[in-house]
Amino acid sequence: MKSAFLPTAFLACLPSILSLPSPPPDCQDITFKVTASAENVLALNPSVDFTNATEVIAFLTQITKPNPVSGTFKIYAQYCQPTVPIIGRPKPLQILIPGNSYDHTYHNGFDRYPVPGNTNSWASYALSRGYSTLSLDRLGSGKSDHPDPLNIVQSPLIADTIHQIINQVRSGKQIPLPSFGKLKIIYVGHSFGAILGTRITASHPEDIDGSIHTGFAIPTPDQNALPGELADIYLQASTYDPIRFPPSTYSPGYLVATSKPGRQSAFYSAPEDFSPALYEEDSQLKDTLSLGEAITQLPIPPSLVYDKPTFVLTGRQDAVFCGNGVRELGIPDCGSGKDSQLTSVKVLYPAVLDERFGTYTQEKAGHRNQMHYSAQDGFLKVHQFLAAQGL
């Protein structure tokens, strides 16, 4: 349910969302300048029509070769301090990374900044419980730089930009740090953001002190999310909406989902489980998917050394990870408890003890679990887990 603070005329003003007033007192806009490097892949077949299943499959399954890349990039972030008094040692910082086709507003429940009372805002919930938050626009999304969408904006390099930001955060250069003790960092990644998190825990296990994956699970061999990608009808962003996605910034290879029914079927559960007004905001504020992100989401590397607390949360009807991409091909069911597909994520974290690993299947929710009426239930379970782990 959206906040009561949301004016009824909001939908008519959506195009001006980026010109909203400056940050509230507890938040600040930050631009990180990072130099990152990674071994991306070189796509040998860069041409793809994402409305054509044959071409999409050929693109995603093509043979690639290693492509070392590096560069200096500007990454937008939104830092907010807790909205409740903190007694004693400060709680950890939560770094929030959205999934494909979203920017930092995803974790704000689509508000420009966290708003108290927005029951779909992860950031608002965390801030009200004493955590500080740092919400990022990934490389190639939102207000961050938009380099070559095919061979630069790929999972390995995006993950390294986040690693470099974590290093800067720990150095105290960009945000105020606790006056005593080591800063603890909790990584919160949704969907593609969760996949990026696995890359970080695999390559830099010392970076974070707790890992939260939302909208994430291990698909079974008979499940395939491709129909969902096709149902979204991805088109070139600068052609579809050159005002919002100007060609000078969004070169060919930055795609945007154009089908409202398809996106709803892929990302949400039954219509009675979420607000139509909220989904309208989702449709209006959606961001881009790069070809490079699409081709490097898999494989997901195991984190052989990382042994910190890890939690998985997703909606029971997550069609992306527990179904065939869209509800029309069968109502997905991630299951619950020890036999759920969420529990299978443990195979990626063999060093995490059982008592440090947790899952929760959020009922009456789909892939975008926090955009459903049951969002607060999921928020509560995650933060209860963090408290039990001393985070």
Side-chain angles (χ1 to χ4, degrees):
M1 180 179 297
K2 288 296 291 181
S3 166
F5 294 98
L6 190 67
T8 56
F10 179 81
L11 294 179
C13 302
L14 282 171
S16 63
I17 187 72
L18 296 181
S19 62
L20 288 178
S22 54
D26 294 325
C27 297
Q28 65 184 91
D29 295 323
I30 298 175
T31 299
F32 289 93
K33 186 176 182 180
V34 300
T35 298
S37 61
E39 187 172 279
N40 280 1
V41 301
L42 183 64
L44 304 179
N45 175 25
S47 178
V48 59
D49 174 2
F50 253 72
T51 65
N52 183 302
T54 301
E55 287 195 28
V56 172
I57 293 172
F59 174 76
L60 295 178
T61 60
Q62 69 178 285
I63 297 175
T64 62
K65 64 180 182 179
N67 182 32
V69 297
S70 62
T72 299
F73 310 99
K74 292 180 180 178
I75 305 297
Y76 170 83
Q78 184 181 97
Y79 172 67
C80 296
Q81 299 184 68
T83 54
V84 296
I86 301 301
I87 300 175
R89 184 175 297 274
K91 289 187 176 181
L93 169 71
Q94 295 190 13
I95 294 183
L96 313 179
I97 310 296
N100 288 135
S101 78
Y102 290 97
D103 63 10
H104 71 278
T105 59
Y106 175 81
H107 282 109
N108 294 344
F110 299 133
D111 283 324
R112 177 67 178 83
Y113 294 95
V115 174
N118 183 338
T119 57
N120 297 103
S121 170
W122 179 292
S124 297
Y125 189 97
L127 293 167
S128 71
R129 277 146 183 81
Y131 296 88
S132 52
T133 60
L134 185 70
S135 301
L136 302 185
D137 283 348
R138 302 180 319 277
L139 179 67
S141 70
K143 295 183 177 181
S144 294
D145 280 351
H146 291 76
D148 172 13
L150 177 61
N151 290 312
I152 297 296
V153 184
Q154 295 184 6
S155 299
L157 188 64
I158 299 172
D160 196 60
T161 63
I162 299 171
H163 163 65
Q164 299 300 333
I165 287 172
I166 290 173
N167 285 343
Q168 289 192 31
V169 168
R170 289 198 183 279
S171 73
K173 292 180 180 178
Q174 293 280 14
I175 65 174
L177 297 178
S179 58
F180 56 88
K182 178 185 176 183
L183 171 70
K184 290 190 175 182
I185 291 177
I186 298 169
Y187 181 99
V188 181
H190 176 73
S191 191
F192 178 60
I195 292 174
L196 294 173
T198 65
R199 286 186 172 273
I200 293 171
T201 53
S203 58
H204 301 285
E206 73 287 351
D207 273 6
I208 56 181
D209 302 286
S211 183
I212 308 298
H213 302 308
T214 73
F216 187 62
I218 301 297
T220 60
D222 61 334
Q223 293 172 342
N224 179 10
L226 182 59
E229 297 285 348
L230 296 173
D232 288 347
I233 307 182
Y234 278 95
L235 300 176
Q236 297 292 341
S238 59
T239 302
Y240 177 74
D241 188 348
I243 302 300
R244 186 169 176 220
F245 304 110
S248 59
T249 300
Y250 295 86
S251 57
Y254 283 106
L255 310 176
V256 64
T258 63
S259 171
K260 288 177 66 175
R263 190 173 171 87
Q264 178 179 323
S265 181
F267 292 162
Y268 287 74
S269 60
E272 63 269 20
D273 294 338
F274 60 92
S275 162
L278 181 68
Y279 181 63
E280 184 65 26
E281 289 184 67
D282 185 330
S283 300
Q284 293 292 332
L285 299 177
K286 61 181 179 285
D287 204 82
T288 57
L289 163 72
S290 78
L291 288 178
E293 290 172 329
I295 202 173
T296 57
Q297 298 198 55
L298 299 176
I300 301 175
S303 299
L304 301 179
V305 176
Y306 178 82
D307 61 357
K308 308 293 179 56
T310 301
F311 196 89
V312 185
L313 164 72
T314 197
R316 181 149 197 157
Q317 297 183 25
D318 185 332
V320 176
F321 284 96
C322 303
N324 288 302
V326 287
R327 292 170 60 80
E328 285 80 3
L329 295 179
I331 303 302
D333 187 352
C334 290
S336 62
K338 64 179 182 179
D339 296 323
S340 74
Q341 289 182 230
L342 286 70
T343 304
S344 299
V345 174
K346 182 67 170 62
V347 301
L348 300 175
Y349 293 97
V352 176
L353 299 176
D354 288 346
E355 57 267 30
R356 286 189 157 193
F357 183 83
T359 68
Y360 183 68
T361 304
Q362 183 180 318
E363 299 293 340
K364 297 185 177 181
H367 181 59
R368 303 306 188 203
N369 58 287
Q370 80 172 59
M371 298 309 168
H372 293 71
Y373 291 130
S374 59
Q376 292 281 306
D377 186 29
F379 296 166
L380 174 62
K381 295 298 183 182
V382 171
H383 287 82
Q384 286 177 334
F385 172 82
L386 292 175
Q389 298 294 325
L391 293 173

